[in-house]
Amino acid sequence: MSRFRARTAGIVAAVAALPLAVAPPAVAAADPDYTITVDSGATGAAISDEMYGVFFEDINYAADGGLYAELVRNRSFEFRSADNQSYTGLTGWAATGTVTTVDDDARLNERNRTYLRLTGPGSITNAGYNSGIAVEKGKRYDFSVWARSDTAGTPLTVTLATTGGAALATPIKINLKGDTWARYAGSLRATATSDIGRLSVNTTGAGTTRLDMVSLFPRDTYKGHGLRRDLAEKVAALRPGFVRFPGGCLVNTGSHYAYDATANFPRARSYQWKDTVGPVETRATNANFWGYNQSYGLGYFEYFQFSEDIGAAPLPVVPALVTGCGQNRATDDPALLRRHIQDTLDLIEFANGPATSTLGRVRAQMGHPKPFGLTMVAVGNEENLPEEYFANFLQFRDAIKAKHPGITVISNSGPDDMGVTFDTLWAKNRAAGTEMVDEHYYNSPNWFLQNNDRYDSYDRNGPNVFLGEYASQDAKFFNSLSEAAYMTGLERNADVVRMASYAPLLANIDNVQWRPDLIWFDNDESWGSTSYQMQKLFMNNVGDRVVPSSVSGGRVVQPQPVTGRVGLSTWRTAARYDDLKVTAPDGTVLLEDKFDDGNADGWSPIENRGTWTVTDGAYTQTDAAAENTMVAAAANITATDYDISVKATKTAGDEGFLIPFGIKDSGTWYWWNLGGWNNTQGAIEKATGSAAAKEQLLTRSDTVNTGQTYDLRIEVRGTKVTLIRDGQVWGSFDDNKVTEPFAQVVTRDLRTGELIVKVVNASTAPALTKVDLGRLKVASTGRMTVLAGDPGEQNTRSAEPIQPVTTTVRGLGSSFTREFPASSVTFLRLKTR
């Protein structure tokens, strides 16, 4: 079945599975709030089969303890403090007897360097992930271990029990053959259901026993390919057009050298695909950028297999030898660069080569003789050194195109949606004729509602856009509505935006490094966020071609002047502030504090962090490790035109300092961030409703020197703000965009002969809307799916209130009027005649 046919069939099946009811007929109205007009004579852009996909990165324990179905944590005793300061070789284990982890010449193999040594009788017990190992009554779980003993016949007993000791399976008995490594295996059938299981391996032998790769796998995995079924099924239900993997920040951070003796086995490395293929016991380990260990049990072969299993195109990302994600280092080693370029060529052979080729044979030996059909490769991720990155990108692209001209080689535009790096990389990509550019941004819901037209003005003849990472910065339904409104703009510009993927995909509720996330889970349950439900609706109702349409009328939200309290803040920095003053343009003093009275009366914490005191006539924050240490003056600045001045000095720490202004509450403010991002970048950031939901209004390279006092001035004129440092204009912005709570797009499903009218109403009021299809004729009945609810609601483990409801609607025609509910997205599928 072709991807087109498979996708369409999936859409029909998905819609048919939804609950059905009969909706009221379309209503008539003389004065609608909005009018959607379809240009029935125009032909819109074709929508690619890869329009929407998923981005998988091993963040939030998404791989080990997540999609990768292994139930044993630290199965190979490879955890180290280099991965996480709290780790040891026995993290995840409890031991009795004389037990230690060892790195010596008796190891299993050169890359699996650490094993467990047990002298005399004893046991080890693994606690798994979250509350423990989850098992279901009647299901089988496959155990295996690599072991050796200097006493032939040494017995091992493998048990599965609850934390209270209640047996969950009949034990496995194993006798070790001798003092060479061998793999031993058995099966446990669960006799009860539990999510607090513990796996124990016990020996009564008197000799020395060595163990490695202690594994327990559910036999029931997704399509038998080793992935946790419920998580894989939720991803598959999205029907993604592509899977971008394996990251993300872990692709291009740390050392770019190999995990071998020559490089002294570096623990924190960029993701290098050859580390992750072949038998699992021979794969390397790594310190994950997000603060834990990666076993690489979920590796490149498994990513390719999963992509194939869910009918998605694989999209691997390879390191460009320029680190991003705050590290900002370029590796100047031409020989290493050539090696990574060759590794990328080898990756293409691994994916696409015949089983008789060198690397195609590796793939075939892993169980997949047929090529995977790789068509795209991305080079790098969010590099903030545009010159160094792009020079390397061109070398990758030229080498790939010379040998595989049909492969699309994807570049990127850095870590932000704007700024110097973004503009520089886009200019370079345009000049070099790059095929596709990867953009990333995480912004507030208002940003998404204000920027629906972002791609309307992009060059139709320039590189296509791959929106590889985006999300509204919170997990409420209002965030999902803002994303939906933005997605209508992506579809409207499908000739420019070829692919898009929300990020991140998965989050283990007990191990979270990033929010928001699409799918949440613990050790035995999983649930989709409200954005998951939204993405699922869009991805299952894409259509094949845009039908041009426009909207008139509406209730836009106008921009407001920048008013509110004035504050001071630091982020991983100690600093002192003095001579703060707020004045009107005519010189009238609105607020002044020189702190020479020895106190901070009138100041209070917005975020109760850090150590704030008045010292030597200045307000100081002395905790150089504390983040987001915001305090604010009591006076509320209601004037629309005013100037803020303050003297700021960094005294210690990693970054610079921040000057908040326009503070409404703890989640609504602006701040001037100087020396942020490890003292490499400055920005104006705006928080809207939540401190986590910040957007960048202005960015530029910036550094703050320790011990130097800076004269800072912020001039506010309504919505216009000018930033002045030491008498020089540092930057300016005008926060004057209107917020559009209503958005729409119309697409056509060529196979089913349906128009898909998609309407987003992010307002808290219903939207009475006339839909004028022009000369297009449709059946009088159609199918309508609505996702609606309280904009502050979330889907959680205990309740998932935001769910789609599908009904049959009547009274349709070439022109009809409907009331779209408040805080809703509606998909109308209309059969054309």
Side-chain angles (χ1 to χ4, degrees):
M1 182 182 291
S2 71
R3 183 174 296 143
F4 168 78
R5 290 176 180 271
R7 187 180 73 180
T8 304
I11 291 168
V12 174
V15 170
L18 292 168
L20 284 176
V22 177
V27 298
D31 298 306
D33 300 310
Y34 297 90
T35 298
I36 297 171
T37 303
V38 173
D39 187 350
S40 56
T43 300
I47 303 173
S48 86
D49 286 345
E50 291 82 28
M51 180 67 194
Y52 296 124
V54 295
F55 163 50
F56 182 93
E57 179 173 14
D58 190 358
I59 185 174
N60 309 315
Y61 281 56
D64 295 324
L67 186 61
Y68 184 52
E70 174 65 73
L71 298 173
V72 176
R73 185 175 181 223
N74 190 19
R75 67 182 176 187
S76 195
F77 311 103
E78 294 288 340
F79 281 27
R80 288 290 179 271
S81 59
D83 309 330
N84 185 295
Q85 288 184 352
S86 67
Y87 283 2
T88 71
L90 284 173
T91 293
W93 295 92
T96 64
T98 305
V99 174
T100 186
T101 56
V102 183
D103 178 357
D104 64 16
D105 291 342
R107 66 179 65 90
L108 180 60
N109 60 63
E110 189 72 1
R111 292 159 72 79
N112 193 334
R113 300 188 61 75
T114 307
Y115 63 90
L116 181 132
R117 184 176 64 204
L118 197 160
T119 304
S123 68
I124 55 171
T125 299
N126 193 267
Y129 296 87
N130 299 88
S131 60
I133 292 172
V135 296
E136 185 178 343
K137 183 178 180 179
K139 291 198 172 180
R140 285 200 171 273
Y141 298 85
D142 293 326
F143 170 83
S144 65
V145 63
W146 284 79
R148 59 190 287 188
S149 174
D150 60 6
T151 304
T154 294
L156 295 183
T157 302
V158 181
T159 61
L160 189 61
T162 67
T163 53
L168 293 171
T170 301
I172 299 172
K173 304 287 187 179
I174 296 171
N175 290 317
L176 303 185
K177 298 175 183 177
D179 205 11
T180 57
W181 287 105
R183 184 177 183 271
Y184 301 86
S187 176
L188 295 164
R189 182 187 292 276
T191 55
T193 296
S194 175
D195 64 356
I196 55 171
R198 299 291 188 268
L199 178 75
S200 296
V201 181
N202 176 77
T203 180
T204 58
T208 298
T209 302
R210 294 176 170 88
L211 304 175
D212 209 343
M213 295 295 292
V214 183
S215 173
L216 187 68
F217 246 91
R219 187 169 294 180
D220 181 23
T221 61
Y222 185 67
K223 298 196 175 182
H225 290 146
L227 302 186
R228 180 170 151 174
R229 178 182 287 277
D230 63 322
L231 294 179
E233 287 177 343
K234 280 185 170 59
V235 178
L238 294 169
R239 300 202 58 82
F242 65 88
V243 178
R244 175 178 177 247
F245 63 87
C249 285
L250 56 82
V251 163
N252 66 333
T253 50
S255 170
H256 298 297
Y257 290 91
Y259 191 64
D260 58 24
T262 301
N264 197 28
F265 296 97
R267 285 296 288 206
R269 306 181 311 286
S270 57
Y271 200 108
Q272 301 174 41
W273 77 271
K274 289 180 180 178
D275 286 346
T276 76
V277 297
V280 292
E281 67 272 11
T282 67
R283 300 184 189 183
T285 189
N286 202 6
N288 185 301
F289 174 83
W290 298 107
Y292 53 95
N293 178 272
Q294 285 180 283
S295 74
Y296 286 149
L298 178 59
Y300 257 74
F301 178 84
E302 290 77 17
Y303 286 125
F304 279 123
Q305 182 71 76
F306 182 51
S307 300
E308 181 179 87
D309 284 345
I310 64 176
L315 173 50
V317 185
V318 299
L321 272 67
V322 178
T323 57
C325 302
Q327 294 186 352
N328 299 334
R329 298 190 304 270
T331 300
D332 185 13
D333 185 337
L336 183 63
L337 177 61
R338 288 193 295 272
R339 193 267 283 176
H340 275 268
I341 291 172
Q342 184 58 52
D343 280 355
T344 303
L345 297 175
D346 291 347
L347 171 63
I348 297 170
E349 181 184 315
F350 174 79
N352 291 353
T356 54
S357 66
T358 301
L359 288 159
R361 185 176 299 111
V362 174
R363 183 195 68 241
Q365 290 170 346
M366 294 182 72
H368 201 284
K370 182 181 176 182
F372 282 115
L374 177 65
T375 62
M376 301 176 285
V377 172
V379 177
N381 174 78
E382 295 188 8
E383 287 76 15
N384 209 18
L385 297 174
E387 299 296 334
E388 294 87 341
Y389 164 72
F390 203 72
N392 286 3
F393 167 77
L394 291 176
Q395 293 193 58
F396 274 89
R397 187 186 68 172
D398 292 348
I400 294 169
K401 287 295 187 181
K403 194 166 184 179
H404 304 282
I407 296 288
T408 297
V409 186
I410 301 173
S411 180
N412 74 69
S413 59
D416 304 308
D417 61 272
M418 54 169 288
V420 174
T421 296
F422 179 88
D423 293 340
T424 299
L425 281 172
W426 258 108
K428 289 179 177 296
N429 280 299
R430 277 192 293 267
T434 301
E435 295 168 281
M436 195 176 298
V437 176
D438 187 5
E439 293 188 355
H440 294 178
Y441 38 83
Y442 299 90
N443 284 313
S444 71
N446 281 353
W447 185 93
F448 284 97
L449 293 175
Q450 292 169 352
N451 286 275
N452 178 275
D453 62 350
R454 176 181 175 89
Y455 296 107
D456 290 3
S457 59
Y458 270 49
D459 182 2
R460 289 8 234 182
N461 298 312
N464 287 140
V465 172
F466 168 34
L467 181 48
E469 297 183 32
Y470 74 98
S472 172
Q473 294 167 317
D474 207 341
K476 298 180 176 63
F477 186 48
F478 182 63
N479 298 86
S480 309
L481 290 167
S482 73
E483 293 156 2
Y486 194 73
M487 292 168 78
T488 66
L490 301 183
E491 292 189 11
R492 186 177 64 251
N493 289 285
D495 55 330
V496 170
V497 183
R498 302 296 290 173
M499 302 191 302
S501 49
Y502 180 104
L505 178 63
L506 294 172
N508 184 320
I509 194 167
D510 291 335
N511 297 281
V512 182
Q513 291 82 43
W514 187 276
R515 298 172 188 265
D517 304 286
L518 206 62
I519 299 169
W520 290 79
F521 62 92
D522 57 20
N523 62 344
D524 67 338
E525 295 179 286
S526 58
W527 57 97
S529 66
T530 61
S531 288
Y532 172 81
Q533 297 298 342
M534 191 69 74
Q535 292 284 329
K536 185 177 178 182
L537 281 178
F538 271 88
M539 293 165 78
N540 280 273
N541 293 276
V542 183
D544 304 288
R545 186 171 289 278
V546 177
V547 180
S549 61
S550 60
V551 63
S552 58
R555 302 183 288 259
V556 300
V557 179
Q558 297 296 331
Q560 298 298 310
V562 178
T563 61
R565 299 164 70 190
V566 174
L568 303 168
S569 183
T570 63
W571 194 292
R572 298 210 313 268
T573 301
R576 56 184 285 122
Y577 298 96
D578 202 358
D579 296 343
L580 182 134
K581 183 184 288 189
V582 182
T583 57
D586 64 2
T588 302
V589 176
L590 306 178
L591 169 67
E592 183 173 18
D593 201 334
K594 296 183 177 180
F595 305 108
D596 53 8
D597 55 3
N599 65 62
D601 292 349
W603 291 81
S604 59
I606 295 292
E607 295 291 346
N608 196 16
R609 303 184 182 97
T611 304
W612 288 92
T613 57
V614 175
T615 307
D616 297 329
Y619 204 7
T620 64
Q621 196 295 108
T622 55
D623 185 348
E627 298 181 349
N628 197 15
T629 66
M630 190 187 300
V631 294
N636 185 37
I637 307 301
T638 58
T640 59
D641 295 355
Y642 57 95
D643 301 329
I644 306 167
S645 61
V646 66
K647 290 183 172 66
T649 308
K650 170 185 173 180
T651 58
D654 296 334
E655 303 206 353
F657 33 70
L658 308 102
I659 312 299
F661 58 99
I663 301 171
K664 305 293 188 186
D665 53 49
S666 62
T668 307
W669 38 261
Y670 301 79
W671 69 21
W672 184 6
N673 187 346
L674 290 149
W677 293 269
N678 291 319
N679 207 15
T680 64
Q681 183 173 298
I684 291 293
E685 296 181 276
K686 177 184 178 181
T688 308
S690 168
K694 295 192 294 290
E695 63 186 87
Q696 295 175 9
L697 304 180
L698 170 67
T699 63
R700 55 167 287 181
S701 297
D702 189 75
T703 300
V704 168
N705 298 321
T706 301
Q708 179 178 341
T709 297
Y710 295 86
D711 286 316
L712 305 178
R713 185 176 180 85
I714 303 172
E715 297 181 350
V716 179
R717 300 294 182 268
T719 60
K720 296 180 179 180
V721 179
T722 302
L723 299 313
I724 300 169
R725 185 168 74 177
D726 294 334
Q728 301 294 316
V729 174
W730 184 90
S732 62
F733 69 92
D734 191 347
D735 190 14
N736 64 347
K737 284 195 172 183
V738 300
T739 301
E740 300 272 5
F742 187 93
Q744 61 82 37
V745 70
V746 181
T747 64
R748 187 187 296 274
D749 186 323
L750 297 177
R751 180 170 175 79
T752 65
E754 290 175 307
L755 290 180
I756 312 173
V757 179
K758 311 170 193 184
V759 177
V760 181
N761 178 21
S763 169
T764 54
L768 196 62
T769 305
K770 178 181 178 182
V771 180
D772 183 355
L773 301 177
R775 297 192 303 272
L776 295 174
K777 297 188 181 301
V778 297
S780 60
T781 61
R783 188 181 296 266
M784 180 175 71
T785 302
V786 179
L787 197 64
D790 181 340
E793 190 61 87
Q794 300 184 60
N795 284 352
T796 66
R797 174 166 46 188
S798 58
E800 298 181 64
I802 304 299
Q803 298 287 336
V805 175
T806 296
T807 57
T808 297
V809 291
R810 294 185 168 84
L812 304 174
S814 296
S815 179
F816 60 91
T817 300
R818 291 212 65 83
E819 183 176 86
F820 294 105
S823 302
S824 70
V825 61
T826 301
F827 290 77
L828 278 167
R829 295 187 71 100
L830 312 176
K831 189 75 173 180
T832 56
R833 295 188 299 178

